[in-house]
Amino acid sequence: MFDAAVFGSLFLTLFVIMDPPGVTPIFLALTSGRAAKVQRRMAWQAVAVAFGVITVFGILGQQILDYLHVSVPALMIAGGLLLLLIALDLLTGKTDEPQQTKDVNVALVPLGMPLLAGPGAIVSVILAVQHADTAGEQVSVWAAIAAMHVVLWLAMRYSLVIIRVIKDGGVVLVTRLAGMMLSAIAVQQIINGVTQVVRGA
């Protein structure tokens, strides 16, 4: 019933796209200054949101995109622009949002989507589900998706220990570095979307 090749292929693909090690400094930057209990809750919320989005698109993804007349390149460009806005806030040290609003934004945007459940991950899952012809392959696909989200949660959950070590000065440095990394990811995502639009024209 279980297809190890399908599981391994999708898991590695999602690992590269969702990038748990790369998400860690961004998570640290966005959650710094909050209580440990709040940070743990935000890690769980972000993973839950990402898993929910991936699940919905895995089941109904192509139908949703077709119904809304949204192309994959458009999804990539929109996600890139959203990430770029968050990256600019990290780079400039903008902290004037209300605390409660910040909590919601960090868990849902950008962590849950589009950073974790971004266009790349969504498209990969849609294709994997479509190509899984047998029950065993379907089980393997969803097992890989679930395993990837467990890894993401573990990466963010235990990255909180780093905050206690690097203190406030280190958090500022991590925030700026995370902003730079996130801006690069955003720009690359926009470039990929524009490139696909040009090729399809």
Side-chain angles (χ1 to χ4, degrees), residues 76-153:
M76 296 176 72
I77 295 170
L81 290 172
L82 187 56
L83 287 179
L84 189 58
L85 291 175
I86 303 297
L88 292 175
D89 283 349
L90 292 177
L91 285 169
T92 58
K94 182 180 177 183
T95 58
D96 57 356
E97 291 182 279
Q99 185 71 28
Q100 188 171 352
T101 304
K102 287 173 66 179
D103 287 350
V104 172
N105 284 344
V106 169
L108 304 180
V109 178
L111 286 175
M113 184 178 182
L115 192 56
L116 298 182
I122 288 172
V123 172
S124 297
V125 168
I126 290 174
L127 294 176
V129 171
Q130 288 178 347
H131 293 156
D133 299 322
T134 66
E137 290 179 349
Q138 287 285 347
V139 169
S140 303
V141 164
W142 291 104
I145 294 170
M148 185 66 250
H149 284 81
V150 170
V151 171
L152 286 167
W153 178 79

Side-chain angles (χ1 to χ4, degrees), residues 2-3 7 28 41 63 77 112 119 123 125 129 144 150 164 176 196 199:
F2 187 81
D3 192 321
F7 174 89
L28 290 175
R41 186 178 73 244
Q63 292 89 332
I77 295 170
V123 172
V125 168
V129 171
V150 170
R164 301 188 187 97
R176 298 299 182 268
Q196 290 192 27
R199 286 177 179 172

Side-chain angles (χ1 to χ4, degrees), residues 12 14-15 35 100 118 147:
L12 289 176
L14 291 178
F15 190 92
Q100 188 171 352

Side-chain angles (χ1 to χ4, degrees), residues 18-85:
M18 302 177 93
D19 190 17
V23 167
T24 299
I26 298 171
F27 175 76
L28 290 175
L30 292 172
T31 60
S32 63
R34 294 173 173 82
K37 182 179 180 180
V38 174
Q39 291 171 326
R40 288 193 294 269
R41 186 178 73 244
M42 291 167 71
W44 180 86
Q45 287 175 338
V47 172
V49 167
F51 184 76
V53 171
I54 290 292
T55 298
V56 170
F57 275 94
I59 298 172
L60 302 170
Q62 195 59 57
Q63 292 89 332
I64 292 173
L65 294 180
D66 291 342
Y67 178 77
L68 296 175
H69 303 290
V70 174
S71 65
V72 172
L75 191 64
M76 296 176 72
I77 295 170
L81 290 172
L82 187 56
L83 287 179
L84 189 58
L85 291 175

